[in-house]
């Protein structure tokens, strides 16, 4: 029993000694590793160093081709192609990156270069520097670039003819030389239009063709496609016009294109043309910005042409601008705002706008009853010579409250549609409200509102059919009932009821020859449009205010 106890004690003592020895060894090893690491971090080997001012040329592989950029005075040029538009900043950065190359780990007596990818280098960088001696020969240093160390993100390199020594250098020394040729070219700036207010015409010819034109007298826009020209929505056009002030290229694809078909530019996906004006500065010596009749300081007519080609792999398309032979890429989001539109996208959704200042009379047929509002204007001059215009309204010959009428009229002329029908439309029954505007100059316009479905009324103007939110039309009806004095009975009416107020209901003996049916076409006319689009439009939020009736 005693012997067993002694053996157990000895075993515990031996185990403790072993554990202590292990801990000591581990601590020693860790200390040595830390020491070596500190020594490594403190020591570095210079692989190459030179003043950037002394670097005369850089020769390296670009797109698997040996390419040389050399200094001409203070500018970089491509040795075999002096008209190549070298990006000076990019080459200066490359020279700065290679001017000081250090290694914090040097492998000597290397037997197998393939272990570091140096048997077949991924790049060879030749640096030619001026000698420190005034009459000395230029010095050429060659760095061969091998694999990347995935753990440290550094690269293995060897220098000149020494095949036994391998250096591990920072990636920042190598990456400036791992670009494509176009990355070393200077991109042109997109010829953005500084003052987009001078744009007078935009045409897009692609899958769809449309042309936007600006009336220089009224500054209003019209749109034309396969159908007749008509008024365009000002807010939609304004957004498109402003985009030409901020367009930009994404990247350079070809600095000297000699084969447009390579980019789909021989048969463009779309051609965008913009007419605008640009002021010619007094010191502008570029004759291309002037015409024979334009002097310095005046506006010259200009045209921007954008050819849009194939899609790239990064959500862009190739483009060529004006007469340049350079090919760039541009974001598809930027281009689709132009190319993916059609004339329908620019239609003005205002149903029937006639300024109150030009209104002579308004005839309304509401639920089968005829009404007429006449507008008269008188101008008086006070003792100080100030003119004041007085406007009066009469409904069927009786005085009409101005506020009541203008509340209704604002709703009538500011009614906007959510979309337009392009298929032939056959009204189902008579119009619930028909209005005929007669302006003081004799021009007329007619709009008829038909119940369409549970969501919309169809508003027919000439051959156009607008779909209008049903609630907005109901509000219009209510406002008109206030005009004719029947709003108190509106809750008891059915769709087939007629307004019966004696004071406001028109009679054929009271208004001879002035019924709506006699003054214009039937309100149940058929409207047809040949286009196929039925794309919903958002409701126009830019309400047009009724013009003031006072000077």
């Amino acid at each position: 029993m005693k012997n067993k106890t002694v053996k157990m004690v000895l075993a515990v003592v031996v185990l403790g000694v072993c554990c202590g020895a292990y801990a000591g060894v581990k601590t020693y090893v860790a200390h040595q590793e830390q020491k070596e690491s500190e020594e490594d971090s403190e020591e570095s080997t210079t692989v190459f160093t030179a003043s950037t001012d002394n670097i005369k040329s850089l020769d390296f592989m670009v797109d698997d081709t040996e390419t040389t950029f050399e200094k001409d005075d203070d500018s970089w040029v491509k040795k075999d192609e002096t008209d190549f538009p070298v990006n000076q900043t990019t080459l200066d950065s490359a020279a700065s990156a290679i001017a000081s190359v250090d290694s914090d780990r040097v492998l000597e007596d290397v037997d197998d270069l393939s272990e570091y990818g140096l048997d077949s280098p991924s790049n060879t960088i030749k640096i030619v520097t001026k000698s420190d001696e005034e009459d000395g020969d230029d010095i050429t240093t060659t760095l061969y670039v091998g694999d990347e160390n995935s753990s440290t993100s550094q690269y293995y390199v060897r220098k000149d003819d020494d095949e036994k020594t391998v250096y591990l250098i920072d990636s920042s020394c190598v990456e400036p030389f791992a670009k494509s040729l176009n990355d070393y070219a200077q991109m042109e700036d997109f010829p953005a239009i500084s003052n987009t207010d001078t744009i007078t015409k935009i045409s897009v010819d692609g899958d769809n063709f449309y042309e936007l034109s600006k009336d220089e007298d009224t500054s209003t826009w019209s749109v034309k496609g396969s159908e007749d020209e008509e008024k365009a929505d000002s807010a939609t056009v304004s957004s498109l016009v402003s985009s030409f002030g901020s367009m930009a290229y994404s990247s350079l694809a070809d600095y000297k294109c000699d084969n447009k078909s390579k980019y789909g530019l021989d048969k463009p996906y779309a051609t965008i043309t913009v007419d605008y004006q640009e002021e010619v500065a007094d010191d502008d010596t570029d004759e291309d910005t002037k015409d024979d009749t334009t002097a310095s300081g005046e506006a010259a007519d200009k045209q921007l042409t954008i050819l849009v080609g194939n899609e790239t792999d990064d959500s862009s398309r190739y483009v060529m601008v004006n007469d340049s032979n350079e090919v760039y890429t541009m974001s598809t989001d930027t281009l689709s705002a132009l190319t993916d539109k059609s004339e329908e996208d620019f239609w003005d959704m205002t149903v029937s706008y006639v300024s109150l200042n030009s209104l002579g009379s308004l005839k309304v047929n509401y639920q089968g009853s005829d009404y007429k509002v006449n507008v008269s204007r008188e101008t008086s001059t006070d003792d100080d010579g100030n003119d004041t215009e007085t406007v009066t309204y009469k409904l069927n010959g009786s005085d009409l409250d101005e506020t009541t009428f203008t509340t209704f009229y604002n709703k009538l002329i500011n009614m906007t549609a959510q979309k337009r029908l392009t298929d032939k439309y056959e009204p189902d029954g008579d119009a619930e409200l028909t209005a005929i505007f007669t302006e003081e100059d004799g021009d007329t316009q007619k709009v008829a509102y038909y119940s369409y479905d549970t969501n919309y009324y169809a508003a027919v103007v000439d051959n156009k059919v607008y779909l209008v939110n049903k609630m907005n039309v109901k509000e219009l009806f209510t406002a008109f009932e206030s005009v004719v004095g029947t709003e108190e009975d509106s809750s008891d009416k059915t769709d087939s009821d007629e307004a019966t107020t004696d004071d406001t209901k028109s009679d054929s003996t009271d208004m001879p020859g002035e019924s709506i049916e006699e003054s214009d076409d039937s309100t149940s006319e058929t409207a047809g449009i040949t286009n196929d689009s039925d794309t919903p439009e958002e409701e126009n939020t830019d309400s047009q205010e009724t013009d003031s009736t006072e000077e």
Side-chain angles (χ1 to χ4, degrees):
M1 181 67 180
K2 182 177 179 180
N3 290 336
K4 291 183 178 180
T5 302
V6 172
K7 291 180 179 178
M8 183 175 294
V9 171
L10 290 174
V12 171
V13 171
V14 172
L15 179 62
V17 171
C18 291
C19 289
Y22 173 77
V25 171
K26 184 176 181 182
T27 301
Y28 174 79
V29 171
H31 177 72
Q32 288 299 109
E33 289 179 348
Q34 180 179 359
K35 183 178 179 181
E36 291 175 2
S37 176
E38 289 175 353
E39 290 176 352
D40 288 344
S41 63
E42 291 174 359
E43 296 179 5
S44 62
T45 301
T46 299
V47 180
F48 173 80
T49 184
S51 168
T52 54
D53 293 335
N54 286 340
I55 296 178
K56 297 182 64 175
S57 70
L58 295 170
D59 182 296
F60 52 98
M61 301 299 291
V62 180
D63 298 332
D64 297 327
T65 302
E66 185 176 352
T67 305
T68 302
F69 293 97
E70 58 185 10
K71 275 288 189 69
D72 181 8
D73 293 330
D74 291 331
S75 299
W76 291 97
V77 296
K78 190 168 181 285
K79 183 177 181 179
D80 60 343
E81 195 174 7
T82 56
D83 61 344
F84 180 85
V86 178
N87 187 315
Q88 300 298 316
T89 301
T90 302
L91 263 298
D92 283 342
S93 297
S96 297
I98 206 70
S100 179
V101 182
D102 295 327
S103 172
D104 58 9
R105 185 181 177 190
V106 180
L107 305 176
E108 298 178 341
D109 297 326
V110 174
D111 293 327
D112 187 1
L113 290 175
S114 64
E115 292 183 7
Y116 310 101
L118 289 167
D119 57 328
S120 180
S122 60
N123 204 345
T124 301
I125 306 172
K126 295 179 183 178
I127 312 147
V128 177
T129 57
K130 293 186 293 185
S131 172
D132 292 334
E133 300 177 4
E134 185 174 347
D135 297 328
D137 295 333
D138 293 338
I139 302 171
T140 301
T141 302
T142 304
L143 299 179
Y144 300 90
V145 182
D147 293 339
E148 180 183 12
N149 185 309
S150 58
S151 299
T152 63
S153 298
Q154 295 174 307
Y155 282 86
Y156 295 106
V157 300
R158 68 178 183 86
K159 179 181 176 182
D160 296 329
D161 296 330
D162 185 358
E163 297 185 355
K164 291 294 184 179
T165 306
V166 174
Y167 305 90
L168 201 59
I169 67 173
D170 194 86
S171 60
S172 62
C173 301
V174 174
E175 290 172 351
F177 301 91
K179 302 176 182 290
S180 65
L181 182 60
N182 289 329
D183 293 324
Y184 298 100
Q186 178 64 53
M187 288 176 53
E188 290 183 355
D189 292 329
F190 181 84
I193 301 173
S194 58
N195 184 4
T196 56
D197 289 339
T198 66
I199 295 177
T200 57
K201 184 183 291 185
I202 302 170
S203 67
V204 178
D205 190 359
D207 288 343
N208 297 309
F209 169 80
Y210 65 88
E211 182 178 274
L212 297 164
S213 301
K214 183 179 181 180
D215 188 309
E216 296 185 8
D217 295 329
T218 63
S219 294
T220 58
W221 286 87
S222 59
V223 60
K224 182 179 181 180
S226 58
E227 294 297 313
D228 295 334
E229 186 174 23
E230 60 179 274
K231 185 179 179 182
D233 179 72
S234 59
T236 305
V237 176
S238 178
S239 176
L240 185 72
V241 167
S242 64
S243 68
F244 287 100
S246 58
M247 278 189 171
Y249 298 126
S250 297
S251 63
L252 176 65
D254 194 334
Y255 70 94
K256 189 169 63 176
C257 176
D258 56 7
N259 182 10
K260 290 184 177 181
S261 62
K262 180 179 178 181
Y263 308 100
L265 293 164
D266 55 332
K267 298 178 181 178
Y269 169 74
T271 301
I272 302 168
T273 306
V274 184
D275 292 347
Y276 66 104
Q277 289 187 324
E278 185 176 89
E279 185 175 329
V280 179
D282 292 338
D283 58 351
D284 191 349
T285 58
D286 184 1
E287 295 300 322
D288 292 338
T289 65
K290 305 176 184 179
D291 56 29
D292 295 337
T293 61
T294 303
S296 295
E298 297 182 1
D301 291 335
K302 304 275 286 182
Q303 188 174 76
L304 171 67
T305 302
I306 307 172
L307 301 181
V308 183
N310 295 337
E311 289 185 292
T312 68
D313 296 331
D314 59 351
S315 299
S316 300
R317 281 187 179 274
Y318 296 111
V319 297
M320 291 185 77
V321 175
N322 295 337
D323 297 326
S324 173
N325 61 352
E326 297 184 358
V327 179
Y328 291 89
T329 64
M330 184 176 285
S331 165
T332 53
D333 289 339
T334 299
L335 293 168
S336 62
L338 290 151
T339 60
D340 292 355
K341 300 290 186 182
S342 63
E343 60 181 306
E344 292 92 336
D345 295 310
F346 297 96
W347 281 341
D348 182 13
M349 288 294 133
T350 303
V351 175
S352 54
Y353 181 81
V354 175
S355 172
L356 184 61
N357 283 345
S358 64
L359 182 67
S361 66
L362 178 69
K363 293 180 181 181
V364 178
N365 180 283
Y366 178 57
Q367 296 183 348
S369 297
D370 292 335
Y371 307 88
K372 182 177 182 181
V373 175
N374 287 302
V375 184
S376 60
R377 299 173 177 84
E378 292 183 1
T379 303
S380 59
T381 305
D382 61 19
D383 295 337
D384 296 328
N386 299 317
D387 292 338
T388 301
E389 184 181 61
T390 302
V391 183
T392 58
Y393 304 92
K394 289 187 178 293
L395 172 65
N396 294 348
S398 300
D399 290 340
L400 176 61
D401 177 68
E402 178 181 356
T403 301
T404 304
F405 175 70
T406 55
T407 298
F408 157 72
Y409 194 76
N410 272 325
K411 293 182 181 295
L412 180 63
I413 64 173
N414 288 318
M415 189 69 72
T416 55
Q418 291 180 287
K419 56 184 174 180
R420 280 238 318 248
L421 288 182
T422 54
D423 294 330
K424 188 174 181 180
Y425 171 63
E426 295 286 352
D428 184 13
D430 296 333
E432 292 189 31
L433 184 146
T434 302
I436 298 176
F437 305 83
T438 301
E439 299 185 65
E440 289 185 319
D441 61 5
D443 289 344
T444 62
Q445 184 179 136
K446 178 181 177 181
V447 57
Y449 285 89
Y450 300 86
S451 181
Y452 184 76
D453 60 19
T454 57
N455 298 314
Y456 298 108
Y457 266 83
V460 179
V461 180
D462 297 328
N463 65 335
K464 303 180 184 68
V465 182
Y466 300 89
L467 294 187
V468 185
N469 184 287
K470 197 163 191 173
M471 294 303 297
N472 294 340
V473 179
K474 289 296 186 182
E475 290 178 4
L476 174 69
F477 293 169
T478 300
F480 185 70
E481 289 167 1
S482 296
V483 171
V484 299
T486 61
E487 74 280 4
E488 65 273 14
D489 300 326
S490 61
S491 60
D492 299 328
K493 287 184 178 182
T494 64
D495 291 342
S496 61
D497 287 339
E498 295 181 354
T500 57
T501 304
D502 294 337
D503 292 340
T504 58
K505 183 175 179 181
S506 166
D507 188 271
S508 60
T509 59
D510 296 331
M511 298 172 57
E514 291 185 341
S515 69
I516 287 181
E517 288 78 2
E518 294 175 353
S519 61
D520 209 330
D521 298 335
S522 170
T523 60
S524 60
E525 63 187 349
T526 299
I529 303 175
T530 58
N531 294 352
D532 296 324
S533 173
D534 191 21
T535 303
E537 295 285 347
E538 291 186 3
E539 200 165 3
N540 186 358
T541 58
D542 296 332
S543 175
Q544 305 176 62
E545 297 182 358
T546 302
D547 299 329
S548 171
T549 58
E550 295 184 2
E551 294 185 354

